[in-house]
Amino acid sequence: MDLRQLRVFVAVVDAGTFTDAAARLGVSQATASRTVAALEAALGARLLQRNTRHVGLTGTGAQVLPIARRVLDEVAHLERVVEQSRGELRVGYAWAALGKHTRRVQKAWSATHPRTPLVFVQTNTPTAGLAEGTADVAVIRRALDDPRFDTALVGVESRYAAVSTDSPLARRRSVRIDDLTRYTLAIDARTGTTTLDLWPPGSAPAKVRSTTGVDEWLTLIAAGQAVGITSEATANQNPRPGVAFRAVRDAPPIPVWLAWWRDDVPPRLPDLLGLVCEAYR
C-alpha cells in the first residue's frame, strides 16, 4: 500500500467513476483501475463495487474511506510544515531569546535576507526546540552534552537576581549572591541557568522551589514567595509588574551558545552566527 493508491481510491469515490477520476488525476482509466485493484490486493478486501456506469463503496470501503482521507490530510499537513520551514529560519529559545540583542539581530537579518524571515520560537526544553523539531537553531545557556548537535559560543551575559518589588533587596542597585540565601530560591532545573553550585558548599539557600517555565517563575517572585537568579536576557525580555531585577555583582557570567543539528546544518547559519557574535561584542 502506498499514498498514490489512497489518492486514486479517494478520487474515484469523489468522482463517481474511474473515467472521471482518471481525467482529474491526469492518468488513464486503466491506470486508475489497476491502482485501486492494487490497493484492494494490499488490504485483502474489496473496497469498491463496480458497474459500467458507476462505482460504489462496499462495507469495508466505507470504513476505509474516512481513514484514507485523514491519512492524506496528515501527509498534506506534513508537506506544508516542511515547505514553511524551508522559507524561514526558526531560532528556538527556552526563556529569553537573545535578550536586548534580539531586535537588533532581527533588523540586521531582515536587511540582508529579506526573503527569509528570522523567527524566534519559545520551547521550554533542554534543546530549546531542536530535538522537538520546532527550531532550526537554538539559543542555549546550559552546556549541551549531546553528540547530535554542534554548538558555537556567541557571547556571555551577566546574572541578575529577580526579587519582589516589596523586598528590601529591590531598594538596592545590585546584590551579592549571599544576600539571597535566606530566601526560597525558585529554579527551573530543566532549562534554567541557576544551580546550587553557585554558592560555596554549606551556604546555598535552604529552601528551593521547582518551576517549569519563566511565567511560573516570575509569578512566584512577584508574589514574594521566592527569589531567583537568571540571565541578563531574562531581565530584558520578561519585565513583570511586581518583579525587580538587580545585577548580582559577584556571580559568574552565563555563556550563550547557538546550537544546531550536526547532520542537518541550516542554510545561512554562518550569517546568523556572525550577526549574533557581533551583537554580543
Side-chain angles (χ1 to χ4, degrees), residues 3 7 66-82:
L3 293 174
R7 290 191 178 100
I67 300 172
R69 292 191 191 279
R70 287 200 298 272
V71 169
L72 294 175
D73 286 345
E74 288 296 322
V75 171
H77 176 66
L78 184 151
E79 291 170 343
R80 288 193 298 271
V81 168
V82 172

Side-chain angles (χ1 to χ4, degrees), residues 77-92:
H77 176 66
L78 184 151
E79 291 170 343
R80 288 193 298 271
V81 168
V82 172
E83 184 61 31
Q84 182 182 28
S85 70
R86 289 173 178 165
E88 61 188 24
L89 185 59
R90 301 166 299 168
V91 181

Side-chain angles (χ1 to χ4, degrees), residues 112-205:
T112 55
H113 302 85
R115 296 186 179 181
T116 307
L118 186 66
V119 180
F120 285 85
V121 183
Q122 185 174 21
T123 307
N124 195 43
T125 66
T127 65
L130 276 183
E132 294 74 23
T134 60
D136 307 303
V137 184
V139 182
I140 303 294
R141 292 180 173 87
R142 293 166 56 120
L144 188 58
D145 186 18
D146 190 322
R148 297 177 297 171
F149 306 115
D150 273 334
T151 61
L153 181 67
V154 294
V156 295
E157 295 170 344
S158 300
R159 291 184 194 263
Y160 275 67
V163 301
S164 168
T165 51
D166 296 329
S167 169
L169 296 177
R171 296 194 288 270
R172 304 184 187 181
R173 296 183 63 181
S174 64
V175 299
R176 299 179 64 85
I177 196 165
D178 287 344
D179 294 331
L180 306 173
T181 55
R182 63 190 181 93
Y183 298 92
T184 298
L185 182 69
I187 292 179
D188 182 343
R190 293 188 68 217
T191 61
T193 55
T194 301
T195 70
L196 296 181
D197 292 336
L198 288 173
W199 285 264
S203 62

